[in-house]
Amino acid sequence: MKNKTIYVLLASVTLTFSAVPTMAHTSQSGLQGTAASAPKWESLWTNANRAALKQALADRARHGLDHHAFLPPEVDELPADAATRAYTKAAQDYANALANGMVDPSSLHEVYTIARPTADRTEMLGEALRQNRLAEWLDGLAPADPEYKALSQAYVTANRNGDAEEPVITLAESIHVDDVNPRVPEIVNQLVGDGYLAARPSTEPVDLYSPDIANAVKALQRDYGIREDGIIGPNTLGVLTLGPGDRARTLAVALERRRWLSRTPPATRIDVNTAAAELRYYHDGQLVDRRKVIVGEPDRETPPLGSPIYRLVANPTWTVPKSIPVSRATIRAKNMRRINGYWVQPSGPDNALGLVKFDMKNNQAIYLHDTAAPELFDRSQRHLSHGCVRVSDALGFAAMLADQEGVGDAWAKAHASGNYETIDLPHEIPVRLLYHNAFLGDDGKVAFRTDPYGWNDAIAVELGFNKKMSHQAKAEAIDIGP
């Protein structure tokens, strides 16, 4: 799936003021956001409310929004009507940024179907101003969950350290085995966070680039298409995202993506983080299962979808999409047959879908499934599929879902038959295919991943950061599976 190009129109201050969104409905205060009603808005923008908005905007770094100026400079020196429009627009824009995000994800992705917040905040703004509760109202619009708060605090810290002088590693200063370098602790922390290194031996000097660390770096290089030499050079450093400024940028994007999400996700759901290639299953509001997944490779990205599982398919066949080329050798090896113009692989343990498929309701042919190549779950970089999501121990996961949905016996019988059979779930299980490369880890600390799809840059630019192309993973050719 290709990202759409975003065009940003920079308007003058005058044009910005004239483009204040109108209120779609009349609030209890009887105000409307039209030009003719500007005096009514002006009566609400008391000195106290103006001060409250300025104070709220001064604190916008908590949300990663400090690179965007909502109020024009010297706003209070503008003519009264223009100042009213400026305050109104700034309040509306900031409220929308907190409640929905600054960027519309549908402008970034050809398909985006994850549930988003909905509310008419123009009416709410008028009421908050009338009651002199602007600060409280704005403070309640952003997500209030522990993960958002942790990301917020991490952003404030990284942002504060972003201007600190950092060692610059050039090609001539690359780090080799047995070198001593002050960036080694940062490199180790990132390798541990990304799953390439279990832990740093406590007996080694913290600045020593040891053979164990180099071996972990070789695994990263192999996964990301960099020469596998264990040397930390510019390309290898680029995928580690180590600098405070880089982390602040990543965290600001992470906060933005969470503002896109509904504040009340389904209590029972499956969240797939495609950036980290991990799945989390929540049942009745509790996290009950977590496992590795394999997701789409760059240029065949797993799209951001909200789509429920409605049935389990035992011993599925696989109809190869026209977009996936199939060689004659593969046709013979996989025992494929031509049916209605498509190559079809029969059921069995060698099937590309494995022994279970989790059918989902969407028009993108995206679903969760098993795999005939479970060894790929041992890789740290698991962006290897053609877009669908392969689930580690999918049979165990299917049995868990079936038992909790009261169809465990029916599922076990269907699976044991060895034949293609479907088991409808009494209740659909919502699935969200998310893309979060900064998130709260199991240890309660913020974890980072690289940006394998290169989706962060467009968001960061809209948030006011400089353009900086992300390093994308270059998956090796693995198989023809979905």
Side-chain angles (χ1 to χ4, degrees):
M1 180 174 299
K2 302 289 186 182
N3 292 349
K4 292 182 177 178
T5 303
I6 301 175
Y7 296 92
V8 181
L9 178 63
L10 300 176
S12 67
V13 171
T14 302
L15 290 176
T16 299
F17 295 164
S18 67
V20 176
T22 60
M23 296 176 65
H25 306 285
T26 302
S27 70
Q28 293 180 17
S29 60
L31 295 177
Q32 302 240 351
T34 61
S37 64
K40 295 181 180 180
W41 277 109
E42 185 176 358
S43 68
L44 289 181
W45 282 112
T46 61
N47 289 337
N49 280 334
R50 291 186 179 200
L53 178 60
K54 288 178 179 177
Q55 181 58 47
L57 292 175
D59 196 36
R60 66 191 185 279
R62 288 195 301 119
H63 306 285
L65 295 172
D66 49 313
H67 285 245
H68 183 84
F70 290 86
L71 270 175
E74 310 299 334
V75 60
D76 292 324
E77 297 180 9
L78 295 171
D81 184 69
T84 294
R85 290 181 179 277
Y87 274 105
T88 303
K89 186 178 189 308
Q92 290 174 332
D93 288 349
Y94 189 51
N96 284 329
L98 294 176
N100 275 347
M102 282 194 61
V103 184
D104 180 354
S106 65
S107 70
L108 304 175
H109 303 282
E110 294 177 11
V111 177
Y112 188 95
T113 62
I114 300 170
R116 300 191 63 200
T118 56
D120 180 1
R121 275 163 299 281
T122 305
E123 249 187 78
M124 298 177 187
L125 171 60
E127 196 62 23
L129 291 170
R130 188 175 68 85
Q131 296 180 5
N132 296 316
R133 296 180 62 254
L134 180 62
E136 298 170 61
W137 176 66
L138 289 172
D139 195 48
L141 294 177
D145 58 274
E147 184 166 46
Y148 188 88
K149 291 179 179 179
L151 292 169
S152 171
Q153 182 56 53
Y155 176 79
V156 171
T157 300
N159 206 33
R160 185 167 55 239
N161 298 333
D163 294 331
E165 185 176 350
E166 300 173 38
V168 177
I169 300 176
T170 65
L171 188 60
E173 299 168 338
S174 296
I175 305 176
H176 297 73
V177 173
D178 293 333
D179 282 354
V180 174
N181 190 287
R183 298 209 77 173
V184 170
E186 295 179 74
I187 293 168
V188 168
N189 289 339
Q190 192 64 36
L191 290 169
V192 171
D194 283 348
Y196 289 96
L197 191 65
R200 174 68 181 256
S202 58
T203 57
E204 294 180 355
V206 295
D207 292 348
L208 176 65
Y209 187 60
S210 68
D212 287 340
I213 303 173
N215 287 335
V217 168
K218 286 180 181 179
L220 178 142
Q221 291 170 330
R222 181 171 59 250
D223 283 351
Y224 286 90
I226 302 170
R227 183 179 177 184
E228 192 179 338
D229 55 13
I231 298 171
I232 302 289
N235 288 338
T236 300
L237 191 65
V239 304
L240 290 172
T241 318
L242 294 175
D246 291 335
R247 286 180 182 261
R249 190 175 190 271
T250 298
L251 288 161
V253 171
L255 290 165
E256 171 71 4
R257 283 199 173 101
R258 277 157 185 79
R259 291 191 292 267
W260 296 347
L261 301 178
S262 170
R263 305 298 188 262
T264 54
T268 295
R269 68 184 186 279
I270 295 168
D271 283 347
V272 175
N273 183 351
T274 57
E278 290 184 346
L279 175 153
R280 296 187 181 190
Y281 171 48
Y282 297 83
H283 186 74
D284 290 338
Q286 300 298 316
L287 176 63
V288 297
D289 191 72
R290 177 180 174 180
R291 59 189 64 216
K292 296 177 180 179
V293 295
I294 291 170
V295 295
E297 62 183 342
D299 295 327
R300 295 181 184 269
E301 298 95 340
T302 299
L305 295 180
S307 176
I309 294 172
Y310 69 97
R311 70 178 182 180
L312 304 177
V313 180
N315 310 301
T317 60
W318 180 44
T319 301
V320 185
K322 299 283 190 181
S323 59
I324 299 179
V326 182
S327 67
R328 292 184 178 180
T330 298
I331 292 169
R332 289 193 298 269
K334 302 295 184 182
N335 194 28
M336 293 182 176
R337 293 170 291 178
R338 193 82 167 175
I339 300 177
N340 296 327
Y342 287 86
W343 289 109
V344 179
Q345 185 183 12
S347 299
D350 292 332
N351 189 279
L353 303 184
L355 296 174
V356 58
K357 174 186 176 186
F358 305 80
D359 259 342
M360 295 166 60
K361 289 184 175 179
N362 61 73
N363 60 3
Q364 302 297 309
I366 295 295
Y367 45 83
L368 277 59
H369 64 91
D370 190 14
T371 179
E375 67 276 4
L376 296 181
F377 291 109
D378 293 333
R379 295 170 61 99
S380 295
Q381 202 288 97
R382 297 186 296 277
H383 298 84
L384 306 168
S385 80
H386 284 77
C388 287
V389 179
R390 309 178 194 180
V391 181
S392 176
D393 184 23
L395 285 175
F397 191 54
M400 177 195 303
L401 297 183
D403 285 341
Q404 292 180 346
E405 292 298 316
V407 293
D409 291 341
W411 163 251
K413 183 178 179 181
H415 167 57
S417 72
N419 299 320
Y420 177 98
E421 293 189 29
T422 62
I423 302 296
D424 291 336
L425 297 178
H427 307 97
E428 295 180 351
I429 301 176
V431 178
R432 301 191 301 179
L433 304 180
L434 306 167
Y435 187 80
H436 293 162
N437 65 329
F439 55 93
L440 200 59
D442 289 340
D443 59 359
K445 299 179 181 178
V446 173
F448 292 85
R449 297 295 183 266
T450 51
D451 181 16
Y453 292 165
W455 284 354
N456 280 10
D457 198 55
I459 301 171
V461 169
E462 288 294 285
L463 294 177
F465 290 82
N466 292 330
K467 187 168 185 176
K468 176 183 177 183
M469 295 306 296
S470 304
H471 189 103
Q472 296 189 35
K474 299 175 182 178
E476 300 172 4
I478 300 296
D479 55 37
I480 65 166

